Structure formats: C-alpha cells, structure tokens
C-alpha cells in the first residue's frame, strides 16, 4: 500500500505463490484502501485493478511487461515458474533500468 501511494507512474504487480493468497490479499487491501484500484488475476478468475494487482507467478510471467514496479513475494517458495520469472525480470531490468 505504501508503494502504491508513493508510486505515481504505472501499475504495481505483486506476485503470490498461491491463488487463494492473491485473491484474499487483493480483497483485504481493496477494503483497507477504500478504493477500487486494487485487483487480482489468477488462473480462471480476473479482476484487474488500475494501480495494484496481486497475481500468481504464472500470470506474472504473461503480464508483468505493462507494470512499472514488480514485487516478488514469497520468493523462497521457488519452483521452475518462479525461476523463469526471475530470469525474465532480470532481463527486463537490464533492458530498462527504470523498472
């Protein structure tokens, strides 16, 4: 929430390892902020927000390019999809250091 309040240019994407975590965090933060700019995207269920979105790692692999800030939560729960996301983020950061 603090990053969204101070980050004015573009959306913030937060990865979560499980679908339940992404949906419940989005609903909690949306309720706390009191504005509908928070959303989520998990396999089979999408409710995009305009500024902050909680997503599973699989969705992040497909959609992080439009975000200006990506927060990778629970990175210690690594699997092949998390490793692939980290590689793609590293390459994106090398191409655009402002990310």
């Amino acid at each position: 929430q603090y990053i969204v309040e101070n980050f004015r240019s573009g959306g913030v994407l937060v990865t979560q390892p499980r679908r339940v975590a992404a949906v419940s965090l989005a609903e909690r933060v949306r309720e706390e902020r009191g504005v509908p700019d928070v959303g989520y995207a998990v396999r089979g269920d999408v409710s995009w927000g305009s500024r902050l979105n909680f997503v599973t790692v699989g969705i992040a692999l497909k959609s992080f390019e439009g975000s200006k800030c990506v927060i990778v939560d629970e990175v210690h729960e690594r699997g092949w999809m998390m490793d692939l996301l980290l590689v793609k983020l590293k390459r994106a950061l090398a191409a655009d250091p402002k990310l």
Side-chain angles (χ1 to χ4, degrees):
Q1 293 184 54
Y2 300 111
I3 292 173
V4 172
E5 291 170 4
N6 296 305
F7 199 85
R8 301 286 180 221
S9 61
V12 177
L13 196 71
V14 181
T15 67
Q16 291 296 316
R18 286 172 288 288
R19 297 172 6 176
V20 173
V23 173
S24 62
L25 278 171
E27 290 173 351
R28 177 177 173 212
V29 172
R30 183 184 305 141
E31 189 174 296
E32 286 179 5
R33 289 180 52 82
V35 291
D37 62 353
V38 179
Y40 63 89
V42 298
R43 183 184 49 182
D45 191 9
V46 175
S47 173
W48 283 110
S50 59
R51 299 199 53 211
L52 174 63
N53 288 291
F54 292 88
V55 299
T56 55
V57 176
I59 299 293
L61 282 168
K62 298 175 187 174
S63 61
F64 79 88
E65 286 89 3
S67 299
K68 293 292 183 184
C69 177
V70 178
I71 300 170
V72 182
D73 195 7
E74 303 289 343
V75 73
H76 64 276
E77 294 191 23
R78 291 181 55 193
W80 69 270
M81 286 179 41
M82 179 63 79
D83 289 344
L84 184 58
L85 176 63
L86 293 174
V87 168
K88 287 182 77 170
L89 288 172
K90 182 178 179 181
R91 290 180 181 168
L93 187 58
D96 182 10
K98 294 179 183 179
L99 199 117

